[in-house]
Amino acid sequence: MKTEKCVDFDNLLYDFADGLLDEEKTLEVKKHCDSCDNCRSIVSEIKMVTSLAGSLPEVHVPADKMWLGIEKRIDSSEATPEVAASISPGLFTRIYLYFKRTHLVAVPALVTALVLLGIFPAWFSDGNNPFLVSPNPSSTDVYSSEMQKTEENFSADISDASSEARWNMVEDAFSEVTLDNVTSDIYSDWEN
Amino acid sequence: MKRSDVELIQAVLDGEEAAFKILYDKYVKKVYSLAYRISGKYGDPEELTQEIFYQVYKNLKNFHGKSQFYTWLFRVATNTCLQYNRKHNKSRGSSSYENLEENAPMVLPPSSRPLPDTEAEQRLFQEDIARHISALPEKQKMVMILGPVQGHSYQEISEMLDVSVTVIKGRLHRARESLRSIFKDRGDSIT
């Protein structure tokens, strides 16, 4: 009869019957089986099933008939081992198969979900929704177009200047950038 | 001189078709045995074996030598068997377990002893176990055939089926749990 103690050994009996347990566990299960008819019987049945399955009579293979069929198929089709190379798995398939084999498919799926959940709301919340067309240019658009013009002028000037003059232009440009300027620029943008 | 599997594969890829016949001769017994036991009562193991070796030939270039050729061959074989079963069960409009109804209920011949002492009893047990194996769910059946029947290790089966050893052990555990019913049906237990 199955006792409460038997439950502890339930999962070990198969490995015990297959001889897959370490020495310590083997002794533990053996000791239990010596005093438990139920578990001893299960182990015997497992061994018997395994042994009977392994002793099934060999299947008779039909002589050369099968090979002739294979040969015919190979000869009649255009399939060659070289052609098969073109269906070799690509990089993404290999990555997917690696995660599948290691049972970590959920990890890239979770990362993708987090990225989508994090990026898309932030993107749309900044007014960058690509599906909406604003009827009037916003202050940001005006600011951007002015910045673009300034940059274009600066690029045109600097490409015409000599190397020493270029260096001076860059120095002048950076001397105007102070923390106060940057902060006030940011706030002015917000105020608009 | 006897050539290794890798050398034979290279020879096939170089256009020596006869090298593929050598590989066929070497493995046909185990592949046919798998096809025979997987395809069940209504299947055609010869047709299935031909399909397996045709797929092996067609995909030979995809064998990169990272595992043993034997393991790779059986991966192709098991996949082809599963596809074959799905295709044929679909065309028959029934599940792959229809044999269960026909085979399993043929309860074992009455016997006062559960242990197969005599040769005749041993044969009866073998027939029963073969019938019960063919009635197992597909994945359990595959593991049962590759493992206890054909004698592959957990690691080999894991590579053949591309699933972890833990999963293989679980499937084999459930398969043998079902097969133990053979002894339970006799109303006795082995001691």
Side-chain angles (χ1 to χ4, degrees):
Chain A
M1 204 181 112
K2 196 169 182 176
T3 63
E4 274 183 31
K5 207 177 174 190
C6 294
V7 179
D8 299 337
F9 290 95
D10 260 0
N11 290 325
L12 295 174
L13 295 180
Y14 281 88
D15 282 350
F16 174 72
D18 290 340
L20 294 173
L21 294 178
D22 60 34
E23 206 176 331
E24 191 186 342
K25 286 277 178 201
T26 303
L27 283 172
E28 210 177 310
V29 179
K30 194 173 182 298
K31 199 176 162 191
H32 171 72
C33 287
D34 284 344
S35 61
C36 175
D37 287 347
N38 179 61
C39 288
R40 193 168 59 246
S41 169
I42 291 174
V43 170
S44 297
E45 288 172 4
I46 296 167
K47 282 183 177 175
M48 184 59 71
V49 164
T50 313
S51 161
L52 280 170
S55 68
L56 288 177
E58 280 190 8
V59 179
H60 171 72
V61 183
D64 282 341
K65 205 174 116 192
M66 278 193 312
W67 171 250
L68 293 175
I70 295 165
E71 208 175 22
K72 199 176 166 189
R73 279 194 72 181
I74 290 172
D75 291 341
S76 64
S77 74
E78 289 184 0
T80 63
E82 285 75 18
V83 173
S86 61
I87 57 169
S88 176
L91 178 65
F92 286 108
T93 312
R94 280 164 197 266
I95 292 170
Y96 169 73
L97 288 175
Y98 170 76
F99 279 110
K100 191 181 164 222
R101 191 163 48 248
T102 52
H103 302 281
L104 292 172
V105 179
V107 175
L110 186 66
V111 170
T112 310
L114 286 174
V115 166
L116 290 175
L117 288 170
I119 288 177
F120 279 95
W123 191 32
F124 287 127
S125 68
D126 282 344
N128 289 328
N129 190 337
F131 304 108
L132 296 174
V133 180
S134 175
N136 298 311
S138 67
S139 60
T140 316
D141 295 335
V142 173
Y143 181 76
S144 298
S145 67
E146 282 175 3
M147 280 296 288
Q148 198 179 345
K149 278 179 196 167
T150 311
E151 280 170 14
E152 281 168 6
N153 291 339
F154 183 81
S155 300
D157 291 346
I158 204 163
S159 60
D160 294 331
S162 65
S163 63
E164 194 180 339
R166 284 179 188 178
W167 179 246
N168 289 335
M169 284 175 73
V170 173
E171 269 193 335
D172 289 341
F174 274 97
S175 68
E176 288 171 13
V177 181
T178 64
L179 185 61
D180 287 342
N181 287 342
V182 173
T183 317
S184 64
D185 277 347
I186 292 170
Y187 280 123
S188 67
D189 201 23
W190 278 7
E191 280 160 12
N192 288 333
Chain B
M1 195 182 76
K2 204 176 174 186
R3 287 183 286 180
S4 69
D5 285 354
V6 176
E7 287 169 331
L8 288 168
I9 290 162
Q10 196 50 55
V12 178
L13 295 175
D14 291 341
E16 187 190 330
E17 209 172 278
F20 191 66
K21 174 71 164 76
I22 301 172
L23 286 169
Y24 167 83
D25 287 337
K26 192 172 176 184
Y27 295 112
V28 67
K29 212 170 173 181
K30 285 229 166 187
V31 170
Y32 182 79
S33 167
L34 177 77
Y36 179 85
R37 298 199 186 285
I38 289 289
S39 61
K41 192 178 176 182
Y42 301 106
D44 181 347
E46 287 182 36
E47 184 194 19
L48 182 51
T49 306
Q50 286 179 357
E51 178 65 22
I52 290 168
F53 277 102
Y54 177 68
Q55 290 299 330
V56 168
Y57 179 82
K58 213 170 76 170
N59 291 287
L60 209 52
K61 188 88 182 186
N62 294 332
F63 174 68
H64 301 297
K66 286 174 187 168
S67 59
Q68 285 193 353
F69 172 68
Y70 180 65
T71 317
W72 180 82
L73 167 74
F74 264 76
R75 184 183 289 195
V76 176
T78 51
N79 283 334
T80 311
C81 283
L82 294 175
Q83 280 171 12
Y84 177 90
N85 267 1
R86 270 167 215 152
K87 190 178 156 191
H88 285 254
N89 291 329
K90 206 175 173 182
S91 65
R92 282 203 305 269
S94 61
S95 81
S96 63
Y97 317 131
E98 71 174 21
N99 292 355
L100 186 68
E101 198 63 25
E102 221 171 303
N103 295 326
M106 188 197 154
V107 183
L108 314 163
S111 166
S112 57
R113 289 171 311 187
L115 281 170
D117 282 347
T118 65
E119 203 178 306
E121 245 189 340
Q122 169 93 5
R123 207 164 41 243
L124 285 174
F125 264 97
Q126 283 176 337
E127 283 170 12
D128 284 326
I129 205 123
R131 209 161 36 227
H132 276 73
I133 288 173
S134 75
L136 285 171
E138 203 169 52
K139 287 176 180 175
Q140 291 179 28
K141 180 162 65 174
M142 187 69 85
V143 173
M144 193 68 204
I145 292 167
L146 291 172
V149 176
Q150 294 202 329
H152 297 114
S153 69
Y154 284 134
Q155 189 56 44
E156 283 174 332
I157 304 171
S158 159
E159 286 174 28
M160 287 170 186
L161 300 182
D162 200 20
V163 290
S164 70
V165 170
T166 315
V167 172
I168 298 296
K169 281 172 101 172
R171 284 180 193 170
L172 193 55
H173 181 123
R174 287 193 294 280
R176 287 190 291 184
E177 188 76 42
S178 305
L179 295 173
R180 276 178 48 223
S181 64
I182 292 175
F183 303 112
K184 285 175 187 164
D185 287 348
R186 291 189 168 230
D188 204 340
S189 63
I190 299 167
T191 51

mmCIF file of all heavy atoms in Angstrom, chain A residues 123-156:
data_model
loop_
_atom_site.group_PDB
_atom_site.id
_atom_site.type_symbol
_atom_site.label_atom_id
_atom_site.label_comp_id
_atom_site.label_asym_id
_atom_site.label_seq_id
_atom_site.Cartn_x
_atom_site.Cartn_y
_atom_site.Cartn_z
ATOM 1 N N TRP A 123 7.147 58.080 -27.652
ATOM 2 C CA TRP A 123 7.274 58.664 -28.980
ATOM 3 C C TRP A 123 6.017 59.465 -29.337
ATOM 4 O O TRP A 123 6.060 60.604 -29.746
ATOM 5 C CB TRP A 123 7.511 57.524 -29.988
ATOM 6 C CG TRP A 123 7.917 58.015 -31.353
ATOM 7 C CD1 TRP A 123 8.636 59.124 -31.655
ATOM 8 C CD2 TRP A 123 7.599 57.391 -32.593
ATOM 9 N NE1 TRP A 123 8.800 59.226 -33.005
ATOM 10 C CE2 TRP A 123 8.179 58.182 -33.608
ATOM 11 C CE3 TRP A 123 6.893 56.249 -32.944
ATOM 12 C CZ2 TRP A 123 8.071 57.854 -34.946
ATOM 13 C CZ3 TRP A 123 6.796 55.929 -34.278
ATOM 14 C CH2 TRP A 123 7.383 56.720 -35.267
ATOM 15 N N PHE A 124 4.864 58.792 -29.112
ATOM 16 C CA PHE A 124 3.608 59.442 -29.472
ATOM 17 C C PHE A 124 3.307 60.615 -28.538
ATOM 18 O O PHE A 124 2.712 61.592 -28.943
ATOM 19 C CB PHE A 124 2.458 58.430 -29.443
ATOM 20 C CG PHE A 124 2.501 57.462 -30.602
ATOM 21 C CD1 PHE A 124 2.456 56.100 -30.398
ATOM 22 C CD2 PHE A 124 2.620 57.937 -31.904
ATOM 23 C CE1 PHE A 124 2.497 55.219 -31.464
ATOM 24 C CE2 PHE A 124 2.661 57.051 -32.972
ATOM 25 C CZ PHE A 124 2.612 55.705 -32.749
ATOM 26 N N SER A 125 3.718 60.478 -27.266
ATOM 27 C CA SER A 125 3.404 61.533 -26.315
ATOM 28 C C SER A 125 4.166 62.811 -26.620
ATOM 29 O O SER A 125 3.807 63.882 -26.181
ATOM 30 C CB SER A 125 3.700 61.075 -24.887
ATOM 31 O OG SER A 125 5.096 60.920 -24.748
ATOM 32 N N ASP A 126 5.246 62.751 -27.367
ATOM 33 C CA ASP A 126 6.012 63.940 -27.737
ATOM 34 C C ASP A 126 5.408 64.657 -28.942
ATOM 35 O O ASP A 126 6.009 65.545 -29.508
ATOM 36 C CB ASP A 126 7.462 63.562 -28.062
ATOM 37 C CG ASP A 126 8.260 63.328 -26.804
ATOM 38 O OD1 ASP A 126 7.799 63.753 -25.728
ATOM 39 O OD2 ASP A 126 9.325 62.727 -26.903
ATOM 40 N N GLY A 127 4.262 64.230 -29.368
ATOM 41 C CA GLY A 127 3.618 64.866 -30.512
ATOM 42 C C GLY A 127 4.220 64.434 -31.827
ATOM 43 O O GLY A 127 4.098 65.119 -32.839
ATOM 44 N N ASN A 128 4.905 63.310 -31.830
ATOM 45 C CA ASN A 128 5.559 62.852 -33.049
ATOM 46 C C ASN A 128 4.734 61.822 -33.803
ATOM 47 O O ASN A 128 5.265 61.064 -34.588
ATOM 48 C CB ASN A 128 6.915 62.220 -32.707
ATOM 49 C CG ASN A 128 7.896 63.272 -32.285
ATOM 50 O OD1 ASN A 128 7.842 64.387 -32.762
ATOM 51 N ND2 ASN A 128 8.773 62.908 -31.364
ATOM 52 N N ASN A 129 3.458 61.802 -33.500
ATOM 53 C CA ASN A 129 2.634 60.781 -34.148
ATOM 54 C C ASN A 129 2.691 60.940 -35.660
ATOM 55 O O ASN A 129 2.242 61.951 -36.209
ATOM 56 C CB ASN A 129 1.185 60.925 -33.654
ATOM 57 C CG ASN A 129 0.342 59.747 -34.101
ATOM 58 O OD1 ASN A 129 0.671 59.087 -35.076
ATOM 59 N ND2 ASN A 129 -0.738 59.514 -33.373
ATOM 60 N N PRO A 130 3.258 59.988 -36.357
ATOM 61 C CA PRO A 130 3.441 60.138 -37.800
ATOM 62 C C PRO A 130 2.135 60.039 -38.573
ATOM 63 O O PRO A 130 2.087 60.367 -39.747
ATOM 64 C CB PRO A 130 4.356 58.959 -38.148
ATOM 65 C CG PRO A 130 4.095 57.953 -37.097
ATOM 66 C CD PRO A 130 3.729 58.692 -35.868
ATOM 67 N N PHE A 131 1.068 59.608 -37.886
ATOM 68 C CA PHE A 131 -0.205 59.444 -38.574
ATOM 69 C C PHE A 131 -1.058 60.720 -38.518
ATOM 70 O O PHE A 131 -2.113 60.790 -39.109
ATOM 71 C CB PHE A 131 -0.979 58.265 -37.959
ATOM 72 C CG PHE A 131 -0.180 56.996 -37.987
ATOM 73 C CD1 PHE A 131 0.355 56.464 -36.825
ATOM 74 C CD2 PHE A 131 0.090 56.356 -39.189
ATOM 75 C CE1 PHE A 131 1.109 55.323 -36.853
ATOM 76 C CE2 PHE A 131 0.838 55.193 -39.217
ATOM 77 C CZ PHE A 131 1.362 54.684 -38.050
ATOM 78 N N LEU A 132 -0.603 61.707 -37.742
ATOM 79 C CA LEU A 132 -1.353 62.961 -37.641
ATOM 80 C C LEU A 132 -0.567 64.076 -38.323
ATOM 81 O O LEU A 132 0.635 64.203 -38.120
ATOM 82 C CB LEU A 132 -1.577 63.334 -36.162
ATOM 83 C CG LEU A 132 -2.438 62.368 -35.344
ATOM 84 C CD1 LEU A 132 -2.448 62.798 -33.889
ATOM 85 C CD2 LEU A 132 -3.848 62.322 -35.900
ATOM 86 N N VAL A 133 -1.273 64.899 -39.146
ATOM 87 C CA VAL A 133 -0.601 66.025 -39.810
ATOM 88 C C VAL A 133 -1.128 67.312 -39.193
ATOM 89 O O VAL A 133 -2.329 67.571 -39.191
ATOM 90 C CB VAL A 133 -0.897 66.013 -41.325
ATOM 91 C CG1 VAL A 133 -0.210 67.169 -42.005
ATOM 92 C CG2 VAL A 133 -0.445 64.693 -41.931
ATOM 93 N N SER A 134 -0.204 68.092 -38.627
ATOM 94 C CA SER A 134 -0.601 69.326 -37.964
ATOM 95 C C SER A 134 -0.964 70.390 -39.008
ATOM 96 O O SER A 134 -0.225 70.587 -39.961
ATOM 97 C CB SER A 134 0.551 69.816 -37.094
ATOM 98 O OG SER A 134 0.223 71.043 -36.551
ATOM 99 N N PRO A 135 -2.129 71.090 -38.878
ATOM 100 C CA PRO A 135 -2.515 72.106 -39.867
ATOM 101 C C PRO A 135 -1.602 73.330 -39.830
ATOM 102 O O PRO A 135 -1.354 73.949 -40.838
ATOM 103 C CB PRO A 135 -3.943 72.458 -39.464
ATOM 104 C CG PRO A 135 -4.071 72.033 -38.052
ATOM 105 C CD PRO A 135 -3.134 70.898 -37.853
ATOM 106 N N ASN A 136 -1.130 73.702 -38.644
ATOM 107 C CA ASN A 136 -0.231 74.862 -38.516
ATOM 108 C C ASN A 136 1.104 74.402 -37.938
ATOM 109 O O ASN A 136 1.132 73.570 -37.049
ATOM 110 C CB ASN A 136 -0.836 75.891 -37.562
ATOM 111 C CG ASN A 136 -2.152 76.403 -38.099
ATOM 112 O OD1 ASN A 136 -2.243 76.787 -39.272
ATOM 113 N ND2 ASN A 136 -3.173 76.339 -37.255
ATOM 114 N N PRO A 137 2.182 75.013 -38.435
ATOM 115 C CA PRO A 137 3.473 74.638 -37.855
ATOM 116 C C PRO A 137 3.546 75.069 -36.403
ATOM 117 O O PRO A 137 3.151 76.185 -36.070
ATOM 118 C CB PRO A 137 4.495 75.377 -38.721
ATOM 119 C CG PRO A 137 3.748 76.459 -39.396
ATOM 120 C CD PRO A 137 2.327 75.997 -39.512
ATOM 121 N N SER A 138 3.984 74.197 -35.541
ATOM 122 C CA SER A 138 4.074 74.525 -34.122
ATOM 123 C C SER A 138 5.312 75.363 -33.865
ATOM 124 O O SER A 138 6.147 75.557 -34.748
ATOM 125 C CB SER A 138 4.144 73.226 -33.311
ATOM 126 O OG SER A 138 5.374 72.595 -33.620
ATOM 127 N N SER A 139 5.429 75.848 -32.658
ATOM 128 C CA SER A 139 6.600 76.651 -32.282
ATOM 129 C C SER A 139 7.864 75.830 -32.445
ATOM 130 O O SER A 139 8.918 76.342 -32.806
ATOM 131 C CB SER A 139 6.455 77.127 -30.842
ATOM 132 O OG SER A 139 6.369 75.995 -30.000
ATOM 133 N N THR A 140 7.737 74.529 -32.194
ATOM 134 C CA THR A 140 8.904 73.647 -32.318
ATOM 135 C C THR A 140 9.373 73.601 -33.767
ATOM 136 O O THR A 140 10.567 73.652 -34.049
ATOM 137 C CB THR A 140 8.536 72.222 -31.860
ATOM 138 O OG1 THR A 140 7.791 72.299 -30.675
ATOM 139 C CG2 THR A 140 9.773 71.379 -31.646
ATOM 140 N N ASP A 141 8.370 73.559 -34.705
ATOM 141 C CA ASP A 141 8.715 73.508 -36.122
ATOM 142 C C ASP A 141 9.423 74.792 -36.556
ATOM 143 O O ASP A 141 10.399 74.757 -37.285
ATOM 144 C CB ASP A 141 7.461 73.294 -36.976
ATOM 145 C CG ASP A 141 6.838 71.943 -36.706
ATOM 146 O OD1 ASP A 141 7.584 71.036 -36.276
ATOM 147 O OD2 ASP A 141 5.618 71.810 -36.901
ATOM 148 N N VAL A 142 8.914 75.949 -36.062
ATOM 149 C CA VAL A 142 9.518 77.236 -36.402
ATOM 150 C C VAL A 142 10.930 77.296 -35.873
ATOM 151 O O VAL A 142 11.875 77.675 -36.572
ATOM 152 C CB VAL A 142 8.673 78.411 -35.809
ATOM 153 C CG1 VAL A 142 9.378 79.729 -36.020
ATOM 154 C CG2 VAL A 142 7.293 78.406 -36.439
ATOM 155 N N TYR A 143 11.080 76.881 -34.624
ATOM 156 C CA TYR A 143 12.384 76.893 -33.974
ATOM 157 C C TYR A 143 13.366 76.019 -34.765
ATOM 158 O O TYR A 143 14.485 76.429 -35.063
ATOM 159 C CB TYR A 143 12.245 76.368 -32.542
ATOM 160 C CG TYR A 143 13.537 76.358 -31.754
ATOM 161 C CD1 TYR A 143 14.064 77.545 -31.250
ATOM 162 C CD2 TYR A 143 14.216 75.164 -31.525
ATOM 163 C CE1 TYR A 143 15.238 77.527 -30.532
ATOM 164 C CE2 TYR A 143 15.389 75.137 -30.810
ATOM 165 C CZ TYR A 143 15.893 76.319 -30.310
ATOM 166 O OH TYR A 143 17.071 76.307 -29.599
ATOM 167 N N SER A 144 12.867 74.849 -35.190
ATOM 168 C CA SER A 144 13.718 73.904 -35.919
ATOM 169 C C SER A 144 14.135 74.484 -37.259
ATOM 170 O O SER A 144 15.285 74.355 -37.669
ATOM 171 C CB SER A 144 12.977 72.595 -36.171
ATOM 172 O OG SER A 144 12.656 72.028 -34.960
ATOM 173 N N SER A 145 13.179 75.153 -37.959
ATOM 174 C CA SER A 145 13.531 75.677 -39.279
ATOM 175 C C SER A 145 14.547 76.813 -39.148
ATOM 176 O O SER A 145 15.448 76.955 -39.972
ATOM 177 C CB SER A 145 12.274 76.143 -40.009
ATOM 178 O OG SER A 145 11.738 77.256 -39.361
ATOM 179 N N GLU A 146 14.422 77.635 -38.063
ATOM 180 C CA GLU A 146 15.411 78.720 -37.854
ATOM 181 C C GLU A 146 16.789 78.127 -37.570
ATOM 182 O O GLU A 146 17.804 78.578 -38.076
ATOM 183 C CB GLU A 146 14.978 79.605 -36.683
ATOM 184 C CG GLU A 146 13.872 80.566 -37.078
ATOM 185 C CD GLU A 146 13.352 81.363 -35.901
ATOM 186 O OE1 GLU A 146 13.896 81.196 -34.788
ATOM 187 O OE2 GLU A 146 12.406 82.131 -36.099
ATOM 188 N N MET A 147 16.803 77.099 -36.752
ATOM 189 C CA MET A 147 18.068 76.436 -36.411
ATOM 190 C C MET A 147 18.716 75.874 -37.670
ATOM 191 O O MET A 147 19.921 75.981 -37.864
ATOM 192 C CB MET A 147 17.810 75.284 -35.423
ATOM 193 C CG MET A 147 17.634 75.713 -33.989
ATOM 194 S SD MET A 147 19.120 76.458 -33.319
ATOM 195 C CE MET A 147 20.153 75.013 -33.171
ATOM 196 N N GLN A 148 17.854 75.333 -38.541
ATOM 197 C CA GLN A 148 18.367 74.717 -39.768
ATOM 198 C C GLN A 148 19.027 75.767 -40.652
ATOM 199 O O GLN A 148 20.098 75.547 -41.209
ATOM 200 C CB GLN A 148 17.215 74.031 -40.506
ATOM 201 C CG GLN A 148 17.701 73.025 -41.520
ATOM 202 C CD GLN A 148 16.558 72.332 -42.226
ATOM 203 O OE1 GLN A 148 15.425 72.389 -41.804
ATOM 204 N NE2 GLN A 148 16.891 71.682 -43.319
ATOM 205 N N LYS A 149 18.339 76.947 -40.739
ATOM 206 C CA LYS A 149 18.904 78.023 -41.566
ATOM 207 C C LYS A 149 20.257 78.456 -41.012
ATOM 208 O O LYS A 149 21.219 78.638 -41.748
ATOM 209 C CB LYS A 149 17.951 79.221 -41.570
ATOM 210 C CG LYS A 149 16.812 79.071 -42.578
ATOM 211 C CD LYS A 149 15.906 80.281 -42.489
ATOM 212 C CE LYS A 149 14.572 79.978 -43.168
ATOM 213 N NZ LYS A 149 13.557 80.985 -42.838
ATOM 214 N N THR A 150 20.338 78.645 -39.681
ATOM 215 C CA THR A 150 21.577 79.068 -39.039
ATOM 216 C C THR A 150 22.688 78.065 -39.337
ATOM 217 O O THR A 150 23.815 78.434 -39.669
ATOM 218 C CB THR A 150 21.377 79.160 -37.509
ATOM 219 O OG1 THR A 150 20.209 79.907 -37.268
ATOM 220 C CG2 THR A 150 22.573 79.789 -36.829
ATOM 221 N N GLU A 151 22.342 76.788 -39.224
ATOM 222 C CA GLU A 151 23.331 75.730 -39.471
ATOM 223 C C GLU A 151 23.804 75.753 -40.922
ATOM 224 O O GLU A 151 24.986 75.605 -41.209
ATOM 225 C CB GLU A 151 22.711 74.355 -39.164
ATOM 226 C CG GLU A 151 22.705 74.038 -37.682
ATOM 227 C CD GLU A 151 21.877 72.800 -37.357
ATOM 228 O OE1 GLU A 151 21.538 72.050 -38.284
ATOM 229 O OE2 GLU A 151 21.579 72.607 -36.182
ATOM 230 N N GLU A 152 22.844 75.979 -41.838
ATOM 231 C CA GLU A 152 23.205 76.027 -43.268
ATOM 232 C C GLU A 152 24.144 77.198 -43.561
ATOM 233 O O GLU A 152 25.142 77.065 -44.267
ATOM 234 C CB GLU A 152 21.943 76.154 -44.125
ATOM 235 C CG GLU A 152 21.215 74.817 -44.294
ATOM 236 C CD GLU A 152 19.820 74.974 -44.879
ATOM 237 O OE1 GLU A 152 19.445 76.106 -45.261
ATOM 238 O OE2 GLU A 152 19.120 73.943 -44.932
ATOM 239 N N ASN A 153 23.819 78.361 -42.944
ATOM 240 C CA ASN A 153 24.685 79.537 -43.133
ATOM 241 C C ASN A 153 26.078 79.268 -42.598
ATOM 242 O O ASN A 153 27.086 79.583 -43.228
ATOM 243 C CB ASN A 153 24.101 80.756 -42.397
ATOM 244 C CG ASN A 153 22.825 81.225 -43.085
ATOM 245 O OD1 ASN A 153 22.617 80.920 -44.269
ATOM 246 N ND2 ASN A 153 21.973 81.928 -42.349
ATOM 247 N N PHE A 154 26.113 78.664 -41.387
ATOM 248 C CA PHE A 154 27.392 78.378 -40.741
ATOM 249 C C PHE A 154 28.218 77.420 -41.608
ATOM 250 O O PHE A 154 29.403 77.638 -41.835
ATOM 251 C CB PHE A 154 27.142 77.754 -39.361
ATOM 252 C CG PHE A 154 28.397 77.484 -38.581
ATOM 253 C CD1 PHE A 154 29.038 78.499 -37.878
ATOM 254 C CD2 PHE A 154 28.938 76.199 -38.542
ATOM 255 C CE1 PHE A 154 30.194 78.229 -37.158
ATOM 256 C CE2 PHE A 154 30.097 75.927 -37.828
ATOM 257 C CZ PHE A 154 30.729 76.959 -37.136
ATOM 258 N N SER A 155 27.554 76.414 -42.165
ATOM 259 C CA SER A 155 28.238 75.425 -43.011
ATOM 260 C C SER A 155 28.792 76.092 -44.255
ATOM 261 O O SER A 155 29.915 75.813 -44.685
ATOM 262 C CB SER A 155 27.268 74.322 -43.435
ATOM 263 O OG SER A 155 26.772 73.698 -42.316
ATOM 264 N N ALA A 156 27.979 76.992 -44.860
ATOM 265 C CA ALA A 156 28.422 77.679 -46.078
ATOM 266 C C ALA A 156 29.633 78.563 -45.785
ATOM 267 O O ALA A 156 30.624 78.554 -46.528
ATOM 268 C CB ALA A 156 27.277 78.523 -46.633
#
